[in-house]
Amino acid sequence: MKVFSLLISTVPFFSSFPLSAAKQAEKMNVLFLMADDMRPELGCYGVEAVKTPNIDRLASTGVLFQNAYCNVPVSGASRASLLTGVYPHYPDRFVGFSALASKDCPAAIPLSGWFTSHGYYTVSDGKVFHHIEDHADSWSEPPYRTHPDGYDVYWAEYNKWELWMNSASARTINPKTMRGPFCEWAEVPDTAYDDGKLAEKAIADLKRLKEKGKPFFLACGFWKPHLPFNAPKKYWDLYDREKIPVAANRFRPEGLPEEVRNSQEIYAYARTTSPDDIYFLKEAKHGYYACLSYVDAQIGKVLDALDELGLSENTIVVLLGDHGWHLGEHGFLGKHNLMNWSTHVPLIVRVPGLQKGKTESLVEFVDIYPTLCELCNLPFPKQLDGISFVPILKNLERKTKDKVYIQWEGGDNAVNWRYNYAEWEKGNRMLFDHQIDVEENKNRANDPSYKNIIKDMSSFLHKKKRTLNK
């Protein structure tokens, strides 16, 4: 465990920051929306086949980041890193799906605690931190989930947490995990599943927060499109399965290091085969799309409430997916590797009075914490590894960095506008040139013409690791 010697707050963690009522009224609110396993498979990212009108509408009124990346491609670790603004460090900080920020980096003040101690009323609805108990006392009130203890190793055991709504789902149970099928369509209202309930809770909280007379930070973590791909039937009916495009490159990339593997997560559910089965792959992608449209509808309800309550003109809205997800590319289904589909994420930020449009500027999740601090006129805690991208929100052509850092299971990863490079301690290396191989079908790490590129990317990684080891 690395110890941060400089993580000293300028104010006590949970003290009341002495702001006058006038000063508090000047501060912008924050609506922080997260979706689990959502890759940039959205209309606003140019994917015409998917129907996400509400997220697309948000993108049209804010800034869409075309080159945003998570810092570790698994939920628990990604959220712990994002919400502390601290990079992952293998093997002792922000490593796996079950990471606890309060355990892995106890000196780091979470985003929630920093805003609470600086005069904000902070609320956590749904899956924000992976564990509901992680930094639970950093919020102004206890975090809310429909099933508070229903999300960890055995969270999807059939039907302990009301994840499946069709009785037919009980006919196929994975005997090793006792989980139901990997997808389901049911003739039920939106509120039958958890995200529908969560949207209603967030709307009620917005109404309540409006009356408090102080700035608020409301985090709302939706579960979908995370497995199982269960959504009301009307969202499945939006799509003709035969017209949903499937990945053409359903093969392992040439020369890919052995460390890069397919996630096994989907196989914990019942009724799965393999990505070689085109019918299974089509059903999985259909289910993922249905869940995208379902969560899009819930996000739309919350955004509509923000407008109807007259809060939009004084509220920063952030929408992101916590990491990427493969949908058949390279024979992979899931996250858990250092290829672009696992690490490239959707990120939309809308700030009243600032820019609208798309930017190609590189950003990473550790940049979100300092960005929100700057936007809300808060000082920065000293733990932060990221850089505020407020300059980009003011000028979409600005650049704040030329590479981002990602870590997964001992592999260190550097990404810039053209290259995706990774290396492992045993000597294996991965390099994709997106200018000529955007689908990442051939590893070019052994091509001598890329010698200088590899030297530059490797030097960045070693410098980053030396900084992390301090």
Side-chain angles (χ1 to χ4, degrees):
M1 182 75 63
K2 301 297 176 288
V3 178
F4 288 78
S5 60
L6 298 176
L7 303 187
I8 302 173
S9 170
T10 57
V11 296
F13 190 176
F14 302 113
S15 68
S16 177
F17 194 72
L19 289 176
S20 68
K23 283 291 185 183
Q24 290 198 15
E26 292 173 5
K27 288 186 173 292
M28 284 193 285
N29 307 308
V30 179
L31 176 60
F32 195 79
L33 304 170
M34 308 175 77
D36 204 335
D37 287 8
M38 184 170 72
R39 74 186 203 168
E41 193 86 357
L42 305 165
C44 53
Y45 278 89
V47 184
E48 295 180 359
V50 71
K51 296 176 174 60
T52 51
N54 296 289
I55 295 174
D56 299 347
R57 172 166 52 95
L58 175 65
S60 71
T61 61
V63 175
L64 181 146
F65 288 83
Q66 295 176 295
N67 290 300
Y69 287 84
C70 67
N71 294 109
V72 54
V74 68
S75 181
S78 179
R79 291 160 187 262
S81 174
L82 184 164
L83 293 167
T84 57
V86 175
Y87 278 127
H89 182 279
Y90 188 82
D92 53 20
R93 184 172 71 233
F94 311 155
V95 173
F97 79 94
S98 198
L100 279 156
S102 54
K103 177 181 178 182
D104 288 8
C105 194
I109 301 170
L111 185 61
S112 47
W114 194 245
F115 271 72
T116 302
S117 65
H118 286 75
Y120 275 74
Y121 196 89
T122 57
V123 175
S124 172
D125 287 340
K127 185 186 177 187
V128 181
F129 279 104
H130 181 85
H131 298 275
I132 193 171
E133 69 271 20
D134 197 6
H135 283 302
D137 59 354
S138 69
W139 304 90
S140 298
E141 56 189 52
Y144 165 85
R145 292 185 184 178
T146 306
H147 300 288
D149 53 351
Y151 202 93
D152 210 333
V153 179
Y154 304 108
W155 79 283
E157 184 176 331
Y158 185 90
N159 196 4
K160 197 171 183 180
W161 310 114
E162 300 176 336
L163 295 181
W164 288 270
M165 293 291 143
N166 276 346
S167 58
S169 295
R171 298 172 193 160
T172 50
I173 304 292
N174 185 321
K176 294 181 179 179
T177 63
M178 299 308 295
R179 295 187 181 189
F182 75 94
C183 69
E184 174 190 85
W185 48 95
E187 289 276 12
V188 294
D190 288 7
T191 52
Y193 294 112
D194 199 63
D195 279 350
K197 297 182 179 75
L198 179 58
E200 289 193 337
K201 176 64 165 60
I203 292 167
D205 282 342
L206 282 174
K207 294 176 180 177
R208 182 166 58 94
L209 291 168
K210 180 182 179 180
E211 303 304 320
K212 282 196 172 290
K214 62 189 304 185
F216 65 78
F217 183 104
L218 172 60
C220 185
F222 291 98
W223 307 98
K224 295 305 168 191
H226 194 287
L227 286 162
F229 299 147
N230 297 353
K233 184 175 180 295
K234 64 181 178 181
Y235 297 104
W236 286 77
D237 291 345
L238 292 173
Y239 301 96
D240 179 343
R241 186 175 300 177
E242 295 309 311
K243 293 181 180 179
I244 296 176
V246 296
N249 58 340
R250 300 186 303 277
F251 52 82
R252 188 172 178 85
E254 180 182 340
L256 192 68
E258 63 183 10
E259 288 92 344
V260 184
R261 300 184 296 271
N262 187 21
S263 170
Q264 297 302 302
E265 182 180 15
I266 197 169
Y267 303 109
Y269 296 85
R271 215 166 50 75
T272 60
T273 57
S274 75
D276 295 332
D277 180 347
I278 192 66
Y279 299 102
F280 169 53
L281 180 59
K282 285 184 175 181
E283 186 174 21
K285 196 161 187 180
H286 189 177
Y288 188 89
Y289 275 22
C291 288
L292 281 176
S293 292
Y294 171 55
V295 76
D296 174 80
Q298 310 320 305
I299 290 169
K301 293 172 186 176
V302 177
L303 294 174
D304 287 345
L306 194 73
D307 290 341
E308 292 163 5
L309 291 166
L311 292 169
S312 295
E313 294 305 312
N314 193 41
T315 301
I316 298 162
V317 179
V318 178
L319 172 69
L320 58 88
D322 57 355
H323 45 69
W325 222 84
H326 289 261
L327 279 170
E329 299 85 5
H330 310 112
F332 294 167
L333 280 167
K335 57 257 189 187
H336 302 153
N337 61 54
L338 293 175
M339 300 189 73
N340 196 61
W341 278 121
S342 283
T343 60
H344 185 207
V345 294
L347 174 64
I348 300 167
V349 180
R350 185 177 76 189
V351 183
L354 295 188
Q355 289 288 311
K356 302 175 184 177
K358 297 181 179 181
T359 180
E360 296 181 357
S361 299
L362 277 166
V363 296
E364 53 192 325
F365 274 171
V366 291
D367 298 335
I368 292 174
Y369 195 141
T371 299
L372 288 175
C373 285
E374 183 172 351
L375 289 171
C376 296
N377 297 311
L378 305 186
F380 293 4
K382 294 183 179 180
Q383 81 234 14
L384 299 181
D385 286 329
I387 299 172
S388 169
F389 53 73
V390 169
I392 300 170
L393 296 171
K394 294 179 178 179
N395 178 354
L396 301 184
E397 301 299 318
R398 285 286 302 272
K399 306 290 189 291
T400 55
K401 56 183 56 178
D402 59 9
K403 299 180 185 70
V404 299
Y405 173 72
I406 307 163
Q407 160 62 231
W408 177 246
E409 291 189 337
D412 294 294
N413 185 202
V415 177
N416 66 14
W417 290 278
R418 178 171 173 177
Y419 299 106
N420 177 12
Y421 173 76
E423 59 186 33
W424 290 263
E425 287 189 1
K426 66 188 297 184
N428 285 342
R429 298 179 302 177
M430 177 185 85
L431 178 70
F432 293 111
D433 183 346
H434 290 165
Q435 183 168 291
I436 60 174
D437 182 21
V438 68
E439 297 296 332
E440 299 190 331
N441 292 326
K442 182 178 180 179
N443 177 19
R444 300 174 193 275
N446 294 322
D447 185 333
S449 66
Y450 290 93
K451 179 180 178 180
N452 290 337
I453 298 300
I454 291 173
K455 182 179 179 180
D456 175 64
M457 301 293 263
S458 182
S459 175
F460 166 80
L461 290 177
H462 285 268
K463 181 179 180 181
K464 186 67 68 177
K465 289 178 70 176
R466 285 195 299 271
T467 302
L468 294 178
N469 280 323
K470 288 183 179 178

